[in-house]
């Protein structure tokens, strides 16, 4: 069974640009969480989708947005990139019992 | 407020010694508790979970965790640490959310350093 896949693995953008990160959950999982992890520190909760709807949002500005598609895959969009957006972005999929993580997308803003 | 706390930013252990990484929680009702491990530049890997039953839960790589309801704790343990256990460890709890959904809340993480 395939795990959670995230693409791209690495992404380099210029300040002010937009970044799109993608996540494919484990088959049968309807819930997707997005987290930001800067400098190997703790996980900052970004967004949570379940069954196509945004269920909860962390304390991030509106330029962080996303969506979940009918097949439960998800996109995270970051507009007007800032240098401090450089981080590892982790996606987790859940069947509401436990969560499994992808390997993350390393976003670097220069 | 429902939360998870990992009181130690870092734990240092000599190889071969037992290790404990602490986690306490504040959740209404019966908690579902989890431990994850993160190696450098990698995603989080599931280690173990407690849902119900025996308070001592065994997981991957020789790790185990003890659920203590009276102390609202779920400490991660291993009898004999390996240098390769050095990583970042996250405790998480599943909490009820509106609409009948459940949300995962993570602790801030504890960095485990095992020295030869």
């Amino acid at each position: 069974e395939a795990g959670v896949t995230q693409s791209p693995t690495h992404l380099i953008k210029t300040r002010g640009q937009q970044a799109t990160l993608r996540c494919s959950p484990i088959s049968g999982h309807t819930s997707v969480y997005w987290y930001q992890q800067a400098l190997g520190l703790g996980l900052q909760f970004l967004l949570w989708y379940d069954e196509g709807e945004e269920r909860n949002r962390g304390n991030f500005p509106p330029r962080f947005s996303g969506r979940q598609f009918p097949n439960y895959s998800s996109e995270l969009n970051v507009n007007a990139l800032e240098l401090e957006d450089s981080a590892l972005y982790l996606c987790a999929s859940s069947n509401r019992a436990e969560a499994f993580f992808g390997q993350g997308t390393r976003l670097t803003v220069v | 407020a429902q939360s998870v706390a990992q009181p130690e930013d870092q734990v240092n252990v000599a190889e071969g010694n037992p290790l404990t990484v602490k986690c306490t929680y504040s959740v209404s009702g019966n908690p579902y508790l989890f431990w994850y491990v993160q190696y450098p530049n990698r995603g989080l890997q599931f280690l173990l979970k407690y849902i119900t039953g025996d308070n001592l839960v065994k997981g991957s790589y020789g790790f185990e965790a003890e659920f203590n309801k009276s102390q609202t704790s779920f400490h991660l343990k291993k009898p004999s640490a390996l240098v390769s256990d050095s990583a970042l460890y996250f405790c998480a709890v599943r909490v009820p959310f509106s609409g009948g959904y459940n949300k995962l809340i993570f602790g801030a993480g504890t960095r485990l350093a095992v020295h030869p």
Side-chain angles (χ1 to χ4, degrees):
Chain A
E1 178 182 309
V4 180
T5 56
Q6 290 187 246
S7 62
T9 306
H10 293 85
L11 188 58
I12 300 175
K13 291 286 187 178
T14 304
R15 188 170 49 184
Q17 286 187 314
Q18 178 197 36
T20 298
L21 288 63
R22 296 179 178 84
C23 173
S24 293
I26 292 171
S27 177
H29 287 194
T30 63
S31 201
V32 171
Y33 298 83
W34 286 97
Y35 295 88
Q36 182 194 65
Q37 185 180 35
L39 297 173
L41 299 176
L43 301 173
Q44 302 299 317
F45 169 68
L46 269 165
L47 290 160
W48 168 32
Y49 294 94
D50 196 304
E51 295 186 339
E53 299 288 331
E54 182 180 302
R55 300 297 173 186
N56 196 214
R57 177 180 184 88
N59 188 26
F60 279 82
R63 57 191 186 81
F64 286 84
S65 64
R67 54 181 172 168
Q68 187 177 35
F69 299 98
N71 65 355
Y72 304 118
S73 66
S74 178
E75 267 183 9
L76 172 68
N77 295 292
V78 188
N79 294 319
L81 284 165
E82 300 178 2
L83 296 178
E84 49 265 36
D85 297 333
S86 295
L88 181 66
Y89 288 83
L90 292 165
C91 165
S93 86
S94 173
N95 57 5
R96 304 183 189 173
E98 52 200 25
F100 296 91
F101 283 79
Q103 293 303 301
T105 293
R106 171 74 62 186
L107 173 63
T108 303
V109 183
V110 298
Chain B
Q2 305 192 88
S3 63
V4 177
Q6 293 181 242
E8 303 155 315
D9 290 336
Q10 178 151 336
V11 171
N12 296 298
V13 177
E15 188 175 29
N17 283 1
L19 69 87
T20 299
V21 182
K22 296 180 180 177
C23 172
T24 59
Y25 63 90
S26 175
V27 174
S28 56
N30 295 319
Y32 285 25
L33 296 155
F34 307 85
W35 275 102
Y36 291 84
V37 60
Q38 184 182 32
Y39 297 101
N41 298 312
R42 304 294 298 276
L44 275 66
Q45 296 179 30
F46 172 79
L47 269 181
L48 50 80
K49 67 180 178 184
Y50 172 83
I51 295 178
T52 187
D54 194 348
N55 288 345
L56 186 63
V57 179
K58 294 190 183 296
S60 306
Y61 312 121
F63 283 93
E64 57 189 26
E66 186 170 12
F67 171 65
N68 188 316
K69 188 172 184 178
S70 63
Q71 297 185 4
T72 62
S73 68
F74 188 56
H75 299 335
L76 181 70
K77 300 181 180 184
K78 188 173 182 180
S80 180
L82 299 172
V83 173
S84 56
D85 293 329
S86 299
L88 191 55
Y89 290 81
F90 290 94
C91 179
V93 63
R94 196 187 82 171
V95 301
F97 198 72
S98 61
Y101 293 93
N102 297 290
K103 180 182 176 182
L104 276 177
I105 298 176
F106 283 83
T110 298
R111 190 167 299 282
L112 173 67
V114 182
H115 306 285

